[in-house]
Amino acid sequence: MSDTAKLQVAGKEVDYPVLTGSVGPDVVDIRKLYAQTGTFTYDPGFTSTASCESGLTYIDGDEGVLLHRGYPIGQLAEQSSFMEVAYLLLNGELPGKDELDKFNNTITRHTMLHEQLATFYRGFRRDAHPMAVMCGVVGALSAFYHDSTDITDPKQRMIASHRLIAKMPTIAAMAYKYSVGQPFLYPDNSLSYTGNFLRMTFGVPAEEYVVNPVVEKALDRIFILHADHEQNASTSTVRLAGSSGANPFACIAAGIACLWGPAHGGANEAALNMLHEIGRPERIPEFIARAKDKNDPFRLMGFGHRVYKNYDPRATVMQKTVREVFKELNVSDPVFEVALQLEEMALKDDYFVEKKLFPNVDFYSGVILSAIGFPTTMFTALFALARTVGWVAQWNEMISDPEQKIGRPRQLYTGPVQRDYVPVDKR
Ligand code: ACO
């Protein structure tokens, strides 16, 4: 049963409904606040504001729980596949075998890019960051696929969503190939989504590429771990861009732009760079001291999260996957030892304990990706590839929500009040 919240403001007392979801905190529905009281709420960073209703992903940050359509991330990562999770997020239920086969087939058949798009790459410098290339090329998709941009038509929305999920590996692999000066490889429809991506990235036309099933599984799992994460910054960006009715491909390009930042998707790259900079376990205390020093802007990258105030459940799976990949590839990397010891020391340190700072998904992902052979600049591009599933699922949910409106936050204005313009010769 819903409750009401009382608010006294501007000399008025008003009641607001309290809405209850299936699980998680209730929300106070303040939509009528401005009309009734002439006041706004103030919440920079949206720390206490629910921007939408959603049935996709649930996070309990205190307990370290992440559910997609009700299924725990650990179960999905262990037992499912990225394609199955993509279907689940888009359609609400796990697919039956025939549905999954059909979905795989649909995605596989959309993996090629319009040939003209290959020429876009040549406009970039070879040393361009892959995320800069991804922003540009994904945005450019909006100039190519005009038959899937009537966003009021659910079928066209689904075609655009399938295209985006299918083309992202091709786009990301081409960004990598361009950076190393190797020829682009066309997709191979006989391979899995993830196997195909590995081949397009690491294969060359001169010889056959054999997909290593352990690496394929590990990367597929990394994609699952990054598929969606409710209303994070990039997803909110996609929703906000989409709320104006913008072209779906352009909306995803906006999400990529937001994800690139080091406080968000760019943290995996920053985390590995930091582990390399630390270099040896003996240097860990020095970096922990820097992270705690208020006068030093340094932060432990891959540590802390806006929502998780407990161990990020994705980091647990990630740490296990590092061991599997290392064993299969018969490699070891001193940065993994640094990461393990850094985690152990930080979790015993009062500063990190009091502030509830735990490793997040990005802390270990860089170590695995680097063992597989990806350069650090590709890490965030891989995140974007996987998160595209969440972005399109959330975008679809938003467009089909009858309560959807253009997103338009308010502000607390603190600039000058009205004043008269003075001509330049009189100033
Ligand atoms: N190292 C040291 N101190 C930290 C760290 C960190 N990694 N993260 C937070 N803190 C401290 C802050 O200095 C702040 O201290 P104060 O209260 O004394 O001022 C306190 O913890 C709270 O931090 P905020 O920045 O206010 O928390 P917020 O929720 O805004 O930030 C964020 C979350 C951006 C993830 C932050 O923890 C961070 O910068 N972490 C490093 C970057 C990172 O790993 N990002 C990946 C996020 S996961 C993802 O996008 C997939």
Side-chain angles (χ1 to χ4, degrees):
M1 207 179 72
S2 61
D3 209 348
T4 53
K6 276 195 192 313
L7 181 72
Q8 278 184 323
V9 66
K12 293 184 185 134
E13 184 174 290
V14 268
D15 284 343
Y16 293 104
V18 177
L19 310 180
T20 302
S22 46
V23 58
D26 291 344
V27 301
V28 182
D29 177 354
I30 52 126
R31 277 176 287 186
K32 296 205 171 107
L33 176 73
Y34 179 59
Q36 289 175 337
T37 69
T39 54
F40 299 142
T41 54
Y42 181 61
D43 186 16
F46 307 113
T47 54
S48 300
T49 298
S51 59
C52 62
E53 201 179 303
S54 180
L56 271 85
T57 292
Y58 173 72
I59 303 173
D60 182 336
D62 294 325
E63 295 298 322
V65 169
L66 167 60
L67 310 176
H68 292 317
R69 302 279 193 189
Y71 296 103
I73 190 66
Q75 290 182 22
L76 293 173
E78 289 294 335
Q79 299 172 50
S80 181
S81 68
F82 182 61
M83 278 299 95
E84 202 175 41
V85 172
Y87 183 98
L88 172 70
L89 284 165
L90 269 178
N91 299 291
E93 293 298 335
L94 284 169
K97 187 175 175 326
D98 289 351
E99 287 163 325
L100 183 58
D101 288 348
K102 193 168 165 231
F103 184 68
N104 265 318
N105 190 48
T106 305
I107 297 298
T108 302
R109 285 178 201 282
H110 277 300
T111 47
M112 278 174 65
L113 285 189
H114 190 292
E115 196 61 19
Q116 196 64 19
L117 271 163
T119 58
F120 266 76
Y121 286 81
R122 306 217 151 79
F124 288 96
R125 286 167 53 132
R126 292 270 174 192
D127 63 354
H129 194 287
M131 287 298 274
V133 178
M134 302 271 288
C135 273
V137 176
V138 174
L141 293 178
S142 52
F144 283 80
Y145 299 103
H146 301 298
D147 59 338
S148 58
T149 52
D150 175 2
I151 61 161
T152 60
D153 176 358
K155 274 207 186 107
Q156 292 199 33
R157 284 207 303 274
M158 211 35 97
I159 296 171
S161 304
H162 291 160
R163 279 190 170 135
L164 276 155
I165 295 169
K167 293 183 196 308
M168 284 303 263
T170 317
I171 292 171
M174 284 167 74
Y176 172 71
K177 285 296 190 205
Y178 186 71
S179 72
V180 291
Q182 289 182 2
F184 298 145
L185 252 60
Y186 288 116
D188 176 345
N189 286 359
S190 68
L191 298 175
S192 72
Y193 183 88
T194 303
N196 192 24
F197 174 62
L198 281 165
R199 180 186 157 274
M200 286 190 290
T201 306
F202 297 120
V204 286
E207 57 191 53
E208 196 190 339
Y209 179 81
V210 182
V211 178
N212 178 322
V214 174
V215 171
E216 182 184 19
K217 177 83 203 138
L219 190 59
D220 199 74
R221 195 182 283 159
I222 292 174
F223 290 163
I224 294 174
L225 296 179
H226 288 90
D228 190 45
H229 214 228
E230 53 119 305
Q231 308 313 319
N232 57 84
S234 58
T235 301
S236 298
T237 301
V238 171
R239 279 187 177 257
L240 197 55
S243 76
S244 71
N247 178 291
F249 301 101
C251 294
I252 301 306
I256 295 172
C258 177
L259 185 74
W260 192 2
H264 193 7
N268 50 16
E269 184 177 342
L272 191 72
N273 290 339
M274 174 195 76
L275 293 173
H276 278 298
E277 196 189 339
I278 298 174
R280 304 187 308 276
E282 308 84 84
R283 297 189 66 203
I284 293 172
E286 179 197 324
F287 282 81
I288 289 192
R290 281 188 62 197
K292 289 159 58 173
D293 181 355
K294 283 241 162 291
N295 301 316
D296 188 331
F298 174 78
R299 283 186 171 200
L300 281 192
M301 298 314 284
F303 251 78
H305 197 276
R306 170 59 62 79
V307 180
Y308 292 117
K309 302 302 168 201
N310 200 324
Y311 211 97
D312 180 340
R314 300 167 301 172
T316 318
V317 184
M318 216 45 113
Q319 202 203 77
K320 187 171 161 244
T321 310
V322 179
R323 295 184 201 279
E324 285 171 17
V325 169
F326 276 19
K327 187 163 170 248
E328 172 64 19
L329 299 179
N330 199 16
V331 292
S332 64
D333 186 342
V335 293
F336 184 44
E337 198 43 48
V338 172
L340 289 171
Q341 291 200 29
L342 176 59
E343 175 189 331
E344 198 185 325
M345 285 172 80
L347 294 184
K348 283 190 196 139
D349 191 293
D350 285 350
Y351 174 92
F352 292 90
V353 173
E354 274 159 26
K355 294 189 190 299
K356 298 188 176 161
L357 299 169
F358 292 86
N360 61 48
V361 67
D362 291 323
F363 192 62
Y364 289 108
S365 62
V367 180
I368 310 178
L369 295 175
S370 145
I372 296 176
F374 292 103
T376 46
T377 52
M378 276 298 286
F379 295 177
T380 317
L382 298 184
F383 192 160
L385 180 170
R387 185 54 59 83
T388 295
V389 162
W391 289 333
V392 294
Q394 300 262 358
W395 170 80
N396 263 295
E397 185 184 56
M398 177 197 63
I399 304 283
S400 45
D401 181 349
E403 304 217 0
Q404 188 266 326
K405 284 181 187 325
I406 184 167
R408 180 34 173 115
R410 301 294 196 151
Q411 64 171 6
L412 174 66
Y413 178 71
T414 54
V417 296
Q418 183 172 328
R419 46 185 169 164
D420 288 327
Y421 176 81
V422 181
V424 69
D425 56 337
K426 302 246 166 60
R427 276 176 235 155

